[in-house]
């Protein structure tokens, strides 16, 4: 089944404790992206990647890191999480690097930073 | 600045028709998406419009007017399962997606 997977789905952590949210897609997609979604706000892009070893900042990259060492994986790293990073996070992928292609979203990771 | 406006919430009756509007102001325009998002779930693709006009896909239709910076999503024969948020997103001149905050649609029996 074609899908985007994220782990963990739920995470409660404390300020300053490094964490990684994994994202993997099995559709051989070139483009992958991370978003955060907060009440009353639209999806905001954190980072995106147009291909292996190519990553770029989105609208809200501060406090986050990413890597794209393999085509299928695009982990999101929070080196020192803070309470303002409490949010719902989505990973997404699409078949090409052009944004006008349909994006496929993972199930989401609900992160709480205490 | 870039901006996308959608109503925050709408209510409609099962079996009826509802139109969800989206207006946009972006630096350049390379198309507009509509996504559906059920509570606590991932967004799923509904439609993509880049040319003016109406595109129909079953019970859902999407309309675009580039000159007016306006789109709408039309849902017919509403079902309870259509209760969800509907997200409008534009592709700007840099081929990046700009997302609206979404419209929460409540369907009543």
């Amino acid at each position: 089944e074609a899908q985007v997977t994220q782990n963990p789905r739920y995470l409660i952590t404390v300020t300053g404790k490094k964490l990684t949210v994994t994202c993997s897609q099995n559709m051989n997609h070139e483009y992958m992206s991370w978003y955060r979604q907060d009440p009353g706000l639209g999806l905001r892009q954190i980072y995106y990647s147009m291909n292996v070893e190519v990553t770029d900042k989105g609208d809200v990259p501060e406090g986050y890191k990413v890597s794209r060492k393999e085509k299928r994986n695009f982990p999101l790293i929070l080196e020192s999480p803070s309470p303002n990073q409490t949010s719902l996070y989505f990973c997404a992928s699409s078949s090409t690097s052009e944004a006008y292609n349909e994006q496929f979203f993972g199930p989401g990771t609900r992160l709480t930073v205490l | 600045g870039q901006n996308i406006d959608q109503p925050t919430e709408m209510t409609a009756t099962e079996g009826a028709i509802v139109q969800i509007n989206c207006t946009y102001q972006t630096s350049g325009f390379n198309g507009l998406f509509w996504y559906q998002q059920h509570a606590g779930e991932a967004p799923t693709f509904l439609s993509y419009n880049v040319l003016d006009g109406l595109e129909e896909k079953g019970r859902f239709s999407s309309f675009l007017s580039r000159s007016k910076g306006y789109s709408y999503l039309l849902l017919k024969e509403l079902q309870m399962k259509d209760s969800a948020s509907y997200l409008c997103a534009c592709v700007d001149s840099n081929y990046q997606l700009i997302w609206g905050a979404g419209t929460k649609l409540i369907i009543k029996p």
Side-chain angles (χ1 to χ4, degrees):
Chain A
E1 180 189 355
Q3 60 182 350
V4 179
T5 57
Q6 294 179 228
N7 282 291
R9 294 289 313 280
Y10 302 91
L11 180 60
I12 301 175
T13 189
V14 295
T15 298
K17 185 176 181 182
K18 181 180 178 180
L19 67 92
T20 299
V21 184
T22 64
C23 173
S24 183
Q25 49 92 5
N26 63 0
M27 296 170 279
N28 201 36
H29 284 172
E30 293 181 359
Y31 184 91
M32 297 187 74
S33 179
W34 275 103
Y35 295 93
R36 61 177 290 173
Q37 187 175 40
D38 301 291
L41 301 176
L43 287 166
R44 292 183 292 168
Q45 191 177 54
I46 302 169
Y47 270 94
Y48 63 96
S49 169
M50 293 191 175
N51 215 323
V52 176
E53 301 292 359
V54 180
T55 62
D56 276 300
K57 295 178 180 178
D59 299 319
V60 288
E62 294 77 21
Y64 304 94
K65 287 175 59 177
V66 293
S67 67
R68 188 91 182 274
K69 297 178 182 176
E70 306 165 282
K71 199 171 188 178
R72 65 184 293 127
N73 296 322
F74 190 45
L76 179 70
I77 303 158
L78 285 73
E79 295 270 4
S80 183
S82 62
N84 64 11
Q85 292 179 298
T86 292
S87 188
L88 179 59
Y89 291 86
F90 288 104
C91 179
S93 71
S94 66
S95 58
T96 73
S97 60
E98 303 301 334
Y100 48 76
N101 283 285
E102 174 189 352
Q103 292 198 55
F104 294 83
F105 285 82
T109 296
R110 189 168 292 281
L111 173 66
T112 301
V113 183
L114 301 175
Chain B
Q2 307 200 95
N3 192 53
I4 295 182
D5 286 318
Q6 319 177 224
T8 302
E9 187 174 297
M10 298 181 70
T11 302
T13 304
E14 189 177 16
I17 299 173
V18 71
Q19 177 175 311
I20 301 174
N21 296 326
C22 172
T23 58
Y24 62 88
Q25 290 177 309
T26 56
S27 56
F29 180 80
N30 285 295
L32 185 145
F33 286 93
W34 284 97
Y35 280 79
Q36 180 190 59
Q37 185 179 24
H38 285 100
E41 297 183 8
T44 55
F45 171 83
L46 288 177
S47 65
Y48 172 71
N49 294 65
V50 66
L51 300 176
D52 284 356
L54 183 70
E55 293 200 6
E56 298 184 66
K57 194 183 292 185
R59 294 189 298 114
F60 292 11
S61 302
S62 55
F63 172 82
L64 176 67
S65 169
R66 294 177 66 134
S67 62
K68 296 182 179 178
Y70 168 70
S71 173
Y72 67 72
L73 181 69
L74 190 71
L75 290 73
K76 303 176 184 176
E77 301 170 14
L78 285 169
Q79 302 175 11
M80 297 304 293
K81 67 178 182 180
D82 297 330
S83 292
S85 289
Y86 292 86
L87 313 180
C88 173
C90 290
V91 185
D92 71 9
S93 58
N94 294 319
Y95 291 94
Q96 296 302 308
L97 274 172
I98 312 298
W99 294 84
T103 299
K104 182 178 181 180
L105 177 63
I106 300 168
I107 310 296
K108 295 186 175 179

